[in-house]
């Protein structure tokens, strides 16, 4: 049976910030870091996510600045003339922890949203 509330959809973003409310890492930067980890290349990660170099590099530097430690290891002179970029152990740790946190949060928020919609339907 159709309900007047069927059109309501859930949308949310998760991000981490410093104590003075400066954004460190959100879904977009997390996806970028995951793509770097998967491809071993900043260039390939940017192509995969359709990102521009300048903004991407600035975002990565901003993450490191706000965390206070490096998340990237870069090497110049890859086989195609570009450099190799990978995550540091700390960068990998952040990606894995954010993955786990996101998965837990997604399960919780989906259940809460289902309950919300059920409550709307109660007369």
């Amino acid at each position: 049976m159709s309900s007047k509330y069927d059109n309501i959809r859930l949308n949310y973003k998760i991000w981490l910030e410093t104590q003075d409310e400066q954004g460190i890492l959100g879904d977009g930067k997390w996806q970028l870091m995951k793509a770097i980890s998967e491809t071993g290349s900043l260039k390939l990660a940017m192509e995969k996510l359709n990102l521009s170099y300048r903004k991407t590099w600035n975002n990565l530097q901003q993450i490191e600045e706000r965390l206070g430690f490096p998340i990237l290891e870069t090497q110049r002179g890859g086989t195609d003339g570009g450099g190799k970029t990978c995550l540091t152990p700390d960068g990998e740790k952040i990606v894995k922890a954010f993955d786990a946190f996101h998965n837990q949060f997604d399960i919780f928020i989906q259940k809460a949203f289902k309950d919300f919609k059920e409550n709307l339907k109660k007369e």
Side-chain angles (χ1 to χ4, degrees):
M1 182 172 148
S2 180
S3 165
K4 62 184 173 185
Y5 303 112
D6 287 345
N7 199 28
I8 297 174
R9 299 286 181 255
L10 174 65
N11 192 2
Y12 62 95
K13 293 181 182 182
I14 300 173
W15 68 92
L16 306 174
E17 57 185 35
T18 63
Q19 290 182 350
D20 57 349
E21 299 179 353
Q22 292 184 328
I24 298 172
L25 183 69
D27 289 349
K29 292 174 185 171
W30 165 57
Q31 292 297 333
L32 171 61
M33 289 176 66
K34 282 178 69 164
I36 292 169
S37 180
E38 292 165 1
T39 64
S41 164
L42 179 57
K43 181 181 177 189
L44 292 176
M46 289 186 314
E47 288 173 2
K48 180 178 179 178
L49 300 173
N50 197 26
L51 300 172
S52 69
Y53 181 81
R54 182 180 205 116
K55 184 176 180 182
T56 301
W57 187 248
N58 288 340
N59 281 335
L60 292 167
Q61 288 180 316
Q62 197 174 66
I63 294 169
E64 289 185 333
E65 181 181 301
R66 291 180 180 165
L67 286 173
F69 54 83
I71 59 166
L72 296 177
E73 292 178 0
T74 58
Q75 298 172 348
R76 296 210 182 269
T79 55
D80 297 324
K84 179 183 178 203
T85 304
C86 61
L87 298 181
T88 63
D90 284 328
E92 289 286 352
K93 192 177 208 179
I94 288 171
V95 168
K96 288 178 185 170
F98 202 83
D99 273 338
F101 175 74
H102 216 303
N103 288 335
Q104 288 177 327
F105 189 82
D106 290 346
I107 291 167
F108 173 80
I109 199 77
Q110 291 296 333
K111 183 188 179 322
F113 183 67
K114 181 180 176 186
D115 293 346
F116 167 79
K117 294 226 16 193
E118 290 299 320
N119 285 330
L120 285 175
K121 293 176 184 179
K122 290 179 183 175
E123 301 266 336

